[in-house]
Amino acid sequence: MPEEMDGRSLADPTGSSANPLPTDTGPVGPEPSDSELKSQRWPTGAQDPAQNRPLLERKEAQGSKVTMEMEAPGEKSGKTPTQTRKTWKQIGGTLGYFTGDMKAFGDWLKDKPLAFQFIDWVLRGVSQVMFVSNPLSGLIIVAGFLVQSFWLTLTGCLGAVVSTLTAILLSQDRSAIAAGLHGYNGVLVGMLMAVFSDSGDYYWWLLLPVVFMSMTCPLFTSALGSVFSKWDLPVFTLPFNMALTVFVAATGHYNSFFPTTLILPITSSPSINWSDIEVPLLFQSIPIGVGQVYGCDNPWTGGMIMVALFISSPLVFLHAVIGSVAGIPAALSVASPFNKIYTGLWSYNSCLSCIAIGGMFYALTWQTFLLATVCAVFTAYVGGTLSNMFSVFGLPLGTWAFCLSSLTFLLLTTNNDAIYRLPLSKVTYPEANRAYYLAQKGKQPKSACDV
């Protein structure tokens, strides 16, 4: 998952006093010359020179002014666009408190009790799974978890809390903790350990390994961050993948205490009849694919997650949908069993890759939009490959396909200025990332060829 890294000038107040004022002469003082009168600068609010005209000419001038105002009503109506712009600006300012990364809300919480700040950090960690640092979006996503299963909600929130607390105890960077960057891997660990548990819901002993494996996430994040910082790369969900793989490999399906779901490789050719394909289920797999990022196969849960993404960033929402869609034709092209497509297993890795490349770590341009689409399709194929390989060892795929594919595309080198990878410390959300890119682009001096 992502790592976010997360002047004004004053006018001279004495400038207006530099204007010379007319000399005040007494009745017996010397009269000013014509040249002095012509060179005299009048202060603001001086008498209108039109008052020196004859009365008849003044009335005619006033009459013509009234006529011009009657003939040009557009001048009065011209205030409407200005007022409209101000209204939209006020609306945009109000929405800014709830959209994006809700930075103003985070700043407001800084002097509040630590308990309120901690809740904010956990909710941001929940939403950071989808590259969103927004507590409101996190709250909506948690509500979506409740639609799926209370047990998954409990294990996921427990993982986020433990992971965040561990990062605090290890004295990790406080800004990263506040952005939820030490919570999102814990969310996935808690939820996916429950998903792959073969003991069913409410097997309370499972909470012990959930706590322990969630504590390893900040360790993996810090260690991988030390290595990836050499290339200014995010660690994504590699800590989650490592923790989940270690747990499943250490226990397995036949473990007495913590049995996991039996995962077997494909040993026979699946029977596929193309006439049996159900188009409504293909469309339904789009929100399911988004929800499968968290291990949820309920379309309503996926829909609520999509709403949460749209509130924070419409561009994240758009790329999540495109990525989820991209997995469908990729699966059909290799004759994958329809059930795997309907349940979103071909879409969730593509969803994450499309968001990561399409505006999150690359500034959004039409070139990076195409690159994100290609990466989404590529990730789907990588997911199919790794799924077959991991099944031989009885291991789940997790988000390995997303991590490997996205890191590969982020290491791309090119001379195309439109494919601009942002410094990791400047990454926030796609709309702000593009604004930063345009600002940096405007500061670049034009070459002789551009003149």
Side-chain angles (χ1 to χ4, degrees), residues 245-283:
T245 301
V246 167
F247 173 74
V248 175
T251 54
H253 176 66
Y254 301 103
N255 187 272
S256 300
F257 293 153
F258 307 108
T260 59
T261 302
L262 181 62
I263 300 175
L264 297 174
I266 299 176
T267 57
S268 61
S269 177
S271 177
I272 297 178
N273 188 351
W274 292 100
S275 61
D276 294 338
I277 193 169
E278 299 184 46
V279 176
L281 292 181
L282 289 180
F283 283 102

Side-chain angles (χ1 to χ4, degrees), residues 101-102 105 109 115-143 145 153 156-157 160-161 164 177-184 187 294 308:
D101 55 3
M102 290 184 65
F105 181 73
L109 280 176
F116 294 104
Q117 297 183 48
F118 186 79
I119 294 173
D120 175 67
W121 300 343
V122 171
L123 290 177
R124 288 179 186 268
V126 172
S127 62
Q128 274 284 13
V129 176
M130 304 297 296
F131 301 97
V132 167
S133 178
N134 187 303
L136 177 60
S137 297
L139 188 62
I140 296 174
I141 292 173
V142 171
F145 294 164
T153 306
C157 291
V161 169
T164 304
I177 296 174
L181 296 177
H182 284 286
Y184 69 92
V187 175
Y294 294 90

Side-chain angles (χ1 to χ4, degrees), residues 206-285:
L206 183 65
L207 298 181
L208 294 177
V210 166
V211 169
F212 179 77
M213 298 311 298
S214 297
M215 292 174 63
T216 66
C217 291
L219 298 174
F220 288 138
T221 300
S222 180
L224 291 173
S226 300
V227 178
F228 285 15
S229 62
K230 302 180 185 300
W231 299 278
D232 200 30
L233 291 173
V235 299
F236 287 137
T237 52
L238 285 175
F240 150 69
N241 286 318
M242 296 170 68
L244 181 66
T245 301
V246 167
F247 173 74
V248 175
T251 54
H253 176 66
Y254 301 103
N255 187 272
S256 300
F257 293 153
F258 307 108
T260 59
T261 302
L262 181 62
I263 300 175
L264 297 174
I266 299 176
T267 57
S268 61
S269 177
S271 177
I272 297 178
N273 188 351
W274 292 100
S275 61
D276 294 338
I277 193 169
E278 299 184 46
V279 176
L281 292 181
L282 289 180
F283 283 102
Q284 183 176 280
S285 68

